[in-house]
């Protein structure tokens, strides 16, 4: 689907540039954008390497396991379809821990693993159960203690204080997470009542 969206945007840009006689401007914008994109990636690389290294140290020192152990009782309550000691909830804990510590690259494969483990014991077959939906909500609205990617983008754009956004990121992500979890729980209960009544 995303490919079609990009194709539409590129096609619309070419058509508009042709109709308004600005093909030269379009060509220069394309080359300028590509140049800025490469420079942005190079400028972000150093900051991303720094935080990835710090997060890897946190993982090897056992910090991620400690956070995962702390999260386990909470997760077993909001994801009642799985036991606290199950592989599914262990994988979910690892994913959430990686997101909290800003390990975006590690969080993605952990999230896929968690969903696969959850699907193994899914009684609804191909349909996601309430715990799987809750996991998607938590994963999407994850709280990050150190939003390394956003800070790196700000630094690359010339910000003198790229980490000034930290409290705002924490507040907005906590609000999004709270609302998302509450909505998922309400929808799950309403769905359960409909099944019992129907």
């Amino acid at each position: 689907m995303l490919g079609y969206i990009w194709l539409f945007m590129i096609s619309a840009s070419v058509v508009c540039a042709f109709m308004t006689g600005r093909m030269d401007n379009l060509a220069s914008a394309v080359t300028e954008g590509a140049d800025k994109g490469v420079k942005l990636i190079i400028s972000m690389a150093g900051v991303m390497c720094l935080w990835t290294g710090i997060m890897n140290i946190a993982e090897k020192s056992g910090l991620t396991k400690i956070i995962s152990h702390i999260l386990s009782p909470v997760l077993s309550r909001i994801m009642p379809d799985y036991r606290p000691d199950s592989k599914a909830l262990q994988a979910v804990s690892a994913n959430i821990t990686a997101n909290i510590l800003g390990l975006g690259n590690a969080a993605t494969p952990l999230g896929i693993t968690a969903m696969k483990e959850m699907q193994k014991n899914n009684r609804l077959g191909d349909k996601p159960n309430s715990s799987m939906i809750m996991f998607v909500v938590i994963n999407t609205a994850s709280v990050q203690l150190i939003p390394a990617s956003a800070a790196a983008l700000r630094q690359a754009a010339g910000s003198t204080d790229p980490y000034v956004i930290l409290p705002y990121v924490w507040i907005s992500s906590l609000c999004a997470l709270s609302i998302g979890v509450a909505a998922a729980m309400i929808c799950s209960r309403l769905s359960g009542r409909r099944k019992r009544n129907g």
Side-chain angles (χ1 to χ4, degrees), residues 26-131:
L26 176 65
S28 63
V30 168
T31 53
E32 259 182 59
D35 181 58
K36 286 180 180 178
V38 172
K39 287 178 180 175
L40 178 65
I41 291 168
I42 292 170
S43 62
M44 284 180 65
V47 178
M48 293 304 294
C49 287
L50 169 68
W51 282 113
T52 302
I54 290 171
M55 298 310 170
N56 283 335
I57 291 169
E59 187 178 2
K60 289 181 180 178
S61 67
L63 180 61
T64 54
K65 287 184 179 179
I66 293 168
I67 295 173
S68 179
H69 183 69
I70 293 168
L71 290 173
S72 184
V74 178
L75 292 177
S76 62
R77 285 193 173 189
I78 61 175
M79 298 182 185
D81 296 296
Y82 303 95
R83 297 191 319 274
D85 59 342
S86 65
K87 286 185 179 180
L89 279 194
Q90 287 175 8
V92 169
S93 296
N95 170 265
I96 293 171
T97 302
N99 275 324
I100 288 172
L101 295 176
L103 289 167
N105 294 335
T108 302
L110 287 171
I112 294 168
T113 303
M115 195 58 81
K116 285 180 179 177
E117 289 294 334
M118 294 175 93
Q119 180 58 33
K120 286 179 183 177
N121 297 316
N122 183 13
R123 297 174 184 175
L124 301 178
D126 291 335
K127 293 180 181 179
N129 58 38
S130 60
S131 296

